[in-house]
Amino acid sequence: MIEIQEVTKRYDRHTYALKGITASLRERVTTVIGRNGAGKTTLIRILSTQLFPTKGTATIEGLDILKETKKVREIISSIPQESQLIGILSPLEQMQLYLMARGFTASQAKEESKHALDELELYDYRNAPSDTLSGGMKRKVFVAMALAAKAPVIFLDEPTTGLDPLSRIEVWSAIKRLSSKIILTTHYMEEAQELSNEVVVIDQGNIITHGAIGNLLSSFGGKMRAEKMDGEEYDIKIANVAIKYIEKERVDEFIAKGYDIKRINLDDIFLSKGVMLES
Ligand SMILES: Nc1ncnc2c1ncn2[C@@H]1O[C@H](COP(=O)(O)OP(=O)(O)OP(=O)(O)O)[C@@H](O)[C@H]1O
Ligand SMILES: [Mg+2]
């Protein structure tokens, strides 16, 4: 379990990336979503002890990130949003080094690395210089690394950004097979729905919603989303698209008015909280 207590991060006089957030993350997989600049990476970096909060703290499995940093580091692994492989080393070599630094024996490290690379369809590239891999493949190597460590708590900041649809599914199934607690960020609502039992929506440094996806969706009480370019009736307008939340009984009426009808999904939680409205 992760307890976040009033975590604030101020980068400079004007930038409050996090404005005193408090939350208990209890589920196995928690997804943090929010617009660009919302504060997701800042939160992940603080929880994974790479960045000091300006105020507040958090505990991970009962260990305080500020007072017991070393112990916290022993039970977590993470991939940062922007990470670079060492170009001349192969994926296998880098993963082995990483796992050995974490206390694995050389042979264990090799076995676990090969297994994780295989899981993410990177086995054939295990000995290639990392420089020669594509951007998506490099990303997958980092995911493989964070997962292979089998830490009890794993932080993944946008693990599937830039990955093709197949690779994304490979990452999802690797995540599902683990029993570690996982905190991930994503811009793909589908990913949040596929993987997590719990979502935290951050906007401008505050948590605006937190809960089980099913509960958040059911707060729409079975409504549907009707949308139409330049539509006259709307609850929300984004660019020129009018979005109206309607009861099922009104679906035919709105189809007749030229609206497309969609089922409610996580995007709507975002939209209905006004997250998109300011752009
Ligand atoms: N090192 C830094 N110095 C100053 N401001 C920063 C720094 N890092 C981030 N910020 C600011 O803090 C805010 C939150 O940034 P953060 O990287 O946490 O957002 P994010 O939710 O991860 O966004 P994205 O979806 O684009 O990755 C932004 O306003 C950003 O400009
Ligand atoms: Mg980020």
Side-chain angles (χ1 to χ4, degrees):
M1 181 156 103
I2 297 182
E3 292 274 6
I4 303 167
Q5 297 150 15
E6 311 243 344
V7 167
T8 299
K9 180 68 192 180
R10 191 174 78 174
Y11 281 112
D12 54 46
R13 209 182 306 163
H14 305 291
T15 317
Y16 272 94
L18 295 173
K19 298 173 183 162
I21 66 168
T22 296
S24 303
L25 312 181
R26 297 162 193 276
E27 299 289 341
R28 190 178 85 74
V29 183
T30 305
T31 307
V32 180
I33 58 179
R35 301 189 60 194
N36 292 134
K40 302 177 299 295
T41 295
T42 303
L43 178 62
I44 297 284
R45 291 186 65 208
I46 289 173
L47 294 177
S48 57
T49 74
Q50 297 162 48
L51 186 71
F52 280 120
T54 309
K55 269 198 219 143
T57 187
T59 59
I60 296 178
E61 308 295 351
L63 300 169
D64 190 295
I65 55 164
L66 298 177
K67 295 188 198 126
E68 292 159 293
T69 310
K70 231 181 127 194
K71 284 190 187 154
V72 169
R73 287 185 180 158
E74 283 166 15
I75 63 161
I76 65 172
S77 68
S78 68
I79 44 161
Q81 184 172 1
E82 268 146 41
S83 24
Q84 295 281 322
L85 291 166
I86 300 165
I88 51 167
L89 295 183
S90 69
L92 186 58
E93 285 166 337
Q94 289 186 68
M95 287 182 66
Q96 275 180 270
L97 285 175
Y98 175 71
L99 293 180
M100 285 163 69
R102 295 189 61 98
F104 286 62
T105 65
S107 64
Q108 263 177 344
K110 192 164 184 181
E111 275 319 297
E112 292 294 344
S113 302
K114 280 185 175 172
H115 176 73
L117 288 168
D118 187 36
E119 222 175 6
L120 295 177
E121 302 290 338
L122 287 168
Y123 193 78
D124 292 346
Y125 300 92
R126 68 192 181 285
N127 295 320
S130 297
D131 264 348
T132 65
L133 303 183
S134 76
M137 288 174 187
K138 287 179 191 158
R139 192 81 199 135
K140 283 208 286 182
V141 173
F142 274 105
V143 175
M145 219 182 264
L147 301 185
K150 298 211 168 82
V153 181
I154 302 176
F155 295 95
L156 303 169
D157 197 356
E158 297 193 28
T160 65
T161 295
L163 297 195
D164 68 61
L166 259 181
S167 298
R168 194 168 292 157
I169 292 170
E170 289 156 18
V171 169
W172 292 351
S173 58
I175 288 176
K176 285 182 190 167
R177 274 198 287 274
L178 286 175
S179 57
S180 312
K181 170 151 185 60
I182 292 174
I183 294 91
L184 71 116
T185 72
T186 185
H187 289 290
Y188 305 108
M189 298 300 140
E190 189 197 352
E191 180 161 302
Q193 266 174 305
E194 179 76 25
L195 290 178
S196 62
N197 327 87
E198 181 178 40
V199 289
V200 175
V201 184
I202 300 192
D203 193 45
Q204 296 180 20
N206 291 306
I207 293 181
I208 56 165
T209 311
H210 174 196
I213 293 182
N215 291 348
L216 297 179
L217 294 178
S218 65
S219 68
F220 283 87
K223 285 190 176 150
M224 308 287 282
R225 167 162 40 132
E227 62 180 51
K228 183 186 175 186
M229 190 73 110
D230 296 319
E232 282 177 3
E233 287 178 65
Y234 56 87
D235 295 316
I236 308 169
K237 205 162 193 181
I238 297 157
N240 289 324
V241 181
I243 296 177
K244 175 112 181 132
Y245 294 103
I246 57 167
E247 306 291 343
K248 286 213 172 86
E249 299 76 58
R250 299 186 70 191
V251 165
D252 289 344
E253 175 198 332
F254 273 79
I255 289 175
K257 287 176 184 164
Y259 280 73
D260 288 331
I261 308 296
K262 308 225 163 110
R263 285 177 59 170
I264 300 288
N265 64 29
L266 263 185
D267 286 334
D268 297 289
I269 293 172
F270 237 82
L271 298 172
S272 66
K273 293 285 170 189
V275 173
M276 303 301 235
L277 288 180
E278 285 153 37
S279 57

